[in-house]
């Protein structure tokens, strides 16, 4: 069984797998009016990160969808890329049906299941996801495939970039784990507090990724606040010492936003709030994966410290069982 620890210890194998299994889709951006990236949970966060990464690179709109339904504008000039690690995510299967009915061009990322069968039946371009992982530990597969798919779409070969990312993680694995341990040690005195990750636009999806890992792995509450928007509302609630662990995750991409972080950190420190700044000098795929790797380890360390069940998500599974039973009851009644 592939554990979370072994997933991270062998993380670079995910890059190797993608590089070995990527093949050209032969599409160009000029053929489409928009791109929709669909997926949920561990299979969806790569879409959100990709959308943000291509924010200032794409010549057409890119939307990420984590729902049953696609936007009304999806049609024959839309590229829809769907990711479901299991291949059985009901929301993603619903999006597939809508994309097909709308006449969209569809690309599939999946480990099999019903979505894999549909890809074969409809002769769709499909990229395989390596089996054996918990879906939330496959960010190296999904995000890397998407960076290559969209890179090719816009005429950019990201293969060398991915090789650079792989080398960085491989060569700095122990240093990154030590960084994760320092973050863990900083907060472990009261880990049952909720975590609020304050981020800039660039790193907001990475912050979301971390909260998802805290929630599923460590069973801790995690929330994301994004600047500058949160400075126009949420900041007014910071009037006392909060029962919160704050992480400030931001870059130097916008000097005015960086200045807002300086102010916010100083303001929260006045009441002795627990704050860790995580300033990232640049914004690149390498830095994105660097932070993801560190914070994934932090979620694992908290889970082990608290005795949380890293491998299982019983409440999510109970929900899926409830929805399945409800579907059966509705079918019988009809």
């Amino acid at each position: 069984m592939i554990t979370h620890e072994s997933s991270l210890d062998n993380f670079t194998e995910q890059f190797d797998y993608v590089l070995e299994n990527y093949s050209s889709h032969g599409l160009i951006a000029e053929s489409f009016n928009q791109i929709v990236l669909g997926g949920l949970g561990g299979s969806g966060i790569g879409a959100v990160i990709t959308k943000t990464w291509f924010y200032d690179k794409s010549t057409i709109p890119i939307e990420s969808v984590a729902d049953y339904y696609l936007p009304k504008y999806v049609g024959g000039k839309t590229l829809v890329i769907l990711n479901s690690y299991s291949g059985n995510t009901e929301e993603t299967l619903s999006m597939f049906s809508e994309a097909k009915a709308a006449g969209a061009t569809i690309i599939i990322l999946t480990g099999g299941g019903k979505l894999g069968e549909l890809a074969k039946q409809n002769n769709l371009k499909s990229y395989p996801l390596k089996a054996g992982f918990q879906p939330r530990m496959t960010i190296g597969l999904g995000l890397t495939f998407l960076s290559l798919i969209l890179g090719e779409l816009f005429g950019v070969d990201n293969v060398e970039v991915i090789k650079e990312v792989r080398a960085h993680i491989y060569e700095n694995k122990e240093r990154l784990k030590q960084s994760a341990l320092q973050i863990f040690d900083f907060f472990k005195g009261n880990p049952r507090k909720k975590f609020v990750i304050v981020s800039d636009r660039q790193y907001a999806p990475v912050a979301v990724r971390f909260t998802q890992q805290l929630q599923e792995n460590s069973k801790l509450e995690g929330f994301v606040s994004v600047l500058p928007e949160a400075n126009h509302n949420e900041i007014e609630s910071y009037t006392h010492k909060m029962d919160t662990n704050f992480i400030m995750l931001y870059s130097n991409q916008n000097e005015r936003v960086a200045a807002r972080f300086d102010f916010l950190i100083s303001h929260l420190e006045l009441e002795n709030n627990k704050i860790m700044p995580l300033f990232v000098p640049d914004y690149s795929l390498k830095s994105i994966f660097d932070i993801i790797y560190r914070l994934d380890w932090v979620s694992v360390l908290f889970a082990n410290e608290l005795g949380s069940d890293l491998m299982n998500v019983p409440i999510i599974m109970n929900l899926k069982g409830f929805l399945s039973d409800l579907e059966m009851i509705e079918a019988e009644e009809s």
Side-chain angles (χ1 to χ4, degrees):
M1 179 174 60
I2 301 176
T3 65
H4 285 50
E5 290 89 345
S6 63
S7 296
L8 291 169
D9 281 332
N10 302 311
F11 189 65
T12 54
E13 292 180 2
Q14 295 190 38
F15 300 119
D16 296 335
Y17 179 86
V18 174
L19 292 171
E20 291 168 3
N21 287 275
Y22 186 79
S23 59
S24 174
H25 50 65
L27 303 173
I28 58 173
E30 288 74 14
S31 300
F32 304 101
N33 291 335
Q34 61 276 130
I35 303 166
V36 174
L37 309 174
L40 291 97
S43 298
I45 187 60
V48 183
I49 295 171
T50 300
K51 172 189 172 182
T52 303
W53 171 246
F54 279 91
Y55 183 89
D56 59 353
K57 302 171 182 65
S58 174
T59 54
I60 58 175
I62 301 176
E63 185 58 84
S64 59
V65 178
D67 192 28
Y68 288 88
Y69 306 113
L70 294 173
K72 188 67 174 177
Y73 58 71
V74 169
K77 297 281 284 184
T78 307
L79 174 62
V80 176
I81 306 174
L82 300 176
N83 183 355
S84 170
Y85 184 69
S86 69
N88 296 315
T89 308
E90 63 176 67
E91 298 96 325
T92 310
L93 291 170
S94 174
M95 283 190 276
F96 174 86
S97 297
E98 291 210 335
K100 182 182 177 183
T105 299
I106 305 173
I107 293 177
I108 300 296
L109 284 74
T110 188
K114 294 179 183 177
L115 191 60
E117 294 174 5
L118 289 167
K120 290 179 181 178
Q121 291 170 10
N122 291 274
N123 196 30
L124 299 176
K125 184 62 179 178
S126 180
Y127 294 95
L129 300 178
K130 187 177 181 180
F133 294 92
Q134 292 288 332
R136 58 191 175 277
M137 302 306 292
T138 62
I139 189 71
L141 298 175
L143 179 53
T144 304
F145 266 126
L146 286 173
S147 69
L148 295 178
I149 292 169
L150 267 69
E152 180 186 347
L153 193 73
F154 292 106
V156 178
D157 186 352
N158 280 326
V159 169
E160 293 305 317
V161 175
I162 297 304
K163 288 180 179 178
E164 181 185 356
V165 173
R166 186 227 185 264
H168 172 74
I169 299 295
Y170 184 81
E171 294 167 6
N172 295 280
K173 182 169 65 174
E174 291 306 316
R175 180 182 65 81
L176 297 176
K177 288 173 68 174
Q178 284 302 309
S179 174
L181 184 60
Q182 291 172 1
I183 297 170
F184 166 74
D185 285 339
F186 183 78
F187 289 112
K188 76 175 184 179
N190 194 354
R192 288 294 180 188
K193 287 183 179 180
K194 71 177 182 292
F195 279 79
V196 171
I197 320 303
V198 184
S199 72
D200 58 10
R201 175 184 62 77
Q202 286 79 6
Y203 282 98
V206 178
V208 171
R209 160 73 179 183
F210 180 46
T211 60
Q212 291 174 341
Q213 296 297 80
L214 283 173
Q215 292 154 359
E216 290 194 71
N217 294 339
S218 316
K219 318 313 186 206
L220 292 171
E221 285 189 297
F223 304 92
V224 176
S225 177
V226 182
L227 301 188
E229 171 60 25
N231 280 170
H232 292 262
N233 34 65
E234 190 173 309
I235 192 174
E236 280 300 321
S237 67
Y238 296 158
T239 59
H240 55 284
K241 185 171 184 179
M242 315 286 287
D243 190 28
T244 303
N245 291 321
F246 285 99
I247 293 179
M248 304 288 166
L249 176 58
Y250 62 107
S251 65
N252 62 356
Q253 297 301 292
N254 186 315
E255 292 182 359
R256 298 291 290 177
V257 173
R260 289 172 181 272
F261 277 95
D262 292 339
F263 176 89
L264 188 58
I265 291 168
S266 298
H267 174 76
L268 289 168
E269 284 177 341
L270 290 174
E271 297 291 343
N272 296 313
N273 283 285
K274 196 76 169 176
I275 311 161
M276 171 167 278
L278 283 182
F279 173 73
V280 188
D282 69 337
Y283 178 58
S284 64
L285 282 176
K286 183 171 74 173
S287 62
I288 288 170
F289 273 111
D290 177 294
I291 297 297
I292 287 173
Y293 187 78
R294 288 193 236 179
L295 295 181
D296 271 15
W297 267 117
V298 172
S299 74
V300 169
L301 290 168
F302 272 120
N304 290 334
E305 171 77 8
L306 298 170
S308 302
D309 189 345
L310 264 170
M311 298 300 290
N312 296 306
V313 283
I315 300 175
I316 292 174
M317 297 310 295
N318 286 341
L319 171 62
K320 290 183 177 180
F322 169 79
L323 292 171
S324 178
D325 291 344
L326 184 63
E327 186 177 32
M328 290 178 61
I329 293 170
E330 291 173 345
E332 290 174 357
E333 291 177 347
S334 63

